[in-house]
Structures are given as structure tokens and as C-alpha cells.
């Protein structure tokens, strides 16, 4: 029996990309609670290093920011704070992250955010030939 194509619905991220004429391809997968990038990489048959997680963090003033990091790596908040000139950086609470981004935990995209905020990308991710980012 042939596998049915999964329905892909429009999200704020895909709408934002389409409005700007930015080319992208969609790769739907089944959401698994607490599965993260390891689960999406497994289902899509891709290297987790090429799957970028979208993290909503905040500086010492409580101002939110987005960090894009390889799925198989952790963010050093100390190094990040130093690099962006902040005193400190920490993850937002899930409620604060949802309020700022407009996305539910596990489905955050750096595109189509509810609130404009700076986006920081791990430099080594930009050297990859192809990356996969959550589309909401």
C-alpha cells in the first residue's frame, strides 16, 4: 500500500516565507512529545546536525531573542551572552516563549514571529549545504 502524502497546512512561518518569495521545501513529520530534533531527524532520515533547533531565550532585561543551534549541540549561554554583549542569557519559560514567538513549545520557527526579536545563528550552521528548520 502506498504511503499517503501528509497534509501540510499554512503556518505563520510558511506564510511569512511565501510573502517574501523565499524558496523552501516542506518536510512534514509526526510530532512526538519531547522528541525534539533527534526525532524529526530520525523520521526524515537526515543528520540531526543539519536540523536547527529554534530556541527562545532572554537577556538579563527579560528581552526575548531567538537562537538557532544544531540539533545535536547545546548552547553555551555564557558564551552567547559574551558574543551579543549581554550580561546574561537564559532560556525563556515555555509561557514567555509562546507569548513572544506565537508558537507552541516544540513547534517554534524563526519565521513569522509574533514579536520582532533578534535572531542569532550558530556560524557553523551557515556552512552546511542544506539546513532544516521548524516551520511551525
Amino acid at each position: 500500500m502506498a504511503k499517503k502524502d501528509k497534509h501540510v497546512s499554512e503556518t505563520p512561518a510558511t506564510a511569512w516565507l511565501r510573502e517574501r518569495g523565499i524558496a523552501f521545501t516542506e518536510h512534514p513529520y509526526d510530532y512526538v512529545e519531547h522528541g525534539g530534533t533527534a526525532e524529526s531527524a530520525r523520521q526524515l532520515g537526515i543528520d540531526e546536525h543539519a536540523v536547527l533547533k529554534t530556541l527562545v531565550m532572554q537577556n538579563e532585561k527579560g528581552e526575548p531573542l531567538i537562537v538557532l543551534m544544531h540539533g545535536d549541540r547545546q548552547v553555551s549561554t555564557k558564551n552567547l551572552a559574551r558574543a551579543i554583549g549581554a550580561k546574561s542569557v537564559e532560556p525563556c519559560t515555555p509561557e514567555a516563549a509562546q507569548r513572544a514567538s506565537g508558537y507552541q513549545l516544540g513547534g517554534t520557527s524563526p519565521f513569522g514571529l509574533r514579536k520582532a526579536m533578534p535572531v542569532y545563528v550558530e556560524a557553523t550552521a551557515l556552512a552546511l549545504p542544506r539546513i532544516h528548520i521548524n516551520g511551525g
Side-chain angles (χ1 to χ4, degrees):
M1 185 171 170
K3 188 175 180 181
K4 259 182 121 178
D5 287 338
K6 294 183 182 187
H7 172 71
V8 179
S9 61
E10 191 81 323
T11 67
T14 56
W16 187 92
L17 292 166
R18 285 186 214 292
E19 287 168 6
R20 288 158 180 78
I22 299 170
F24 65 95
T25 57
E26 297 174 80
H27 304 273
Y29 61 93
D30 295 321
Y31 175 77
V32 173
E33 193 168 351
H34 304 295
T37 56
E39 180 61 26
S40 60
R42 183 191 68 75
Q43 286 188 40
L44 297 173
I46 56 177
D47 182 0
E48 187 182 7
H49 193 70
V51 179
L52 300 188
K53 52 188 165 187
T54 304
L55 304 167
V56 185
M57 299 196 164
Q58 63 185 15
N59 63 18
E60 72 281 356
K61 299 174 189 170
E63 299 167 334
L65 55 103
I66 297 287
V67 178
L68 298 177
M69 176 56 82
H70 297 283
D72 62 350
R73 300 274 170 88
Q74 299 297 314
V75 174
S76 165
T77 55
K78 185 184 249 183
N79 290 344
L80 175 61
R82 189 176 313 119
I84 67 172
K87 289 182 181 173
S88 66
V89 173
E90 64 183 9
C92 286
T93 65
E95 298 79 20
Q98 187 171 348
R99 241 186 344 268
S101 70
Y103 293 104
Q104 292 182 344
L105 193 63
T108 305
S109 179
F111 310 113
L113 296 165
R114 176 179 287 157
K115 178 180 180 180
M117 59 185 104
V119 177
Y120 299 96
V121 182
E122 170 59 40
T124 55
L126 300 175
L128 295 173
R130 175 172 287 183
I131 57 174
H132 294 78
I133 300 175
N134 198 310

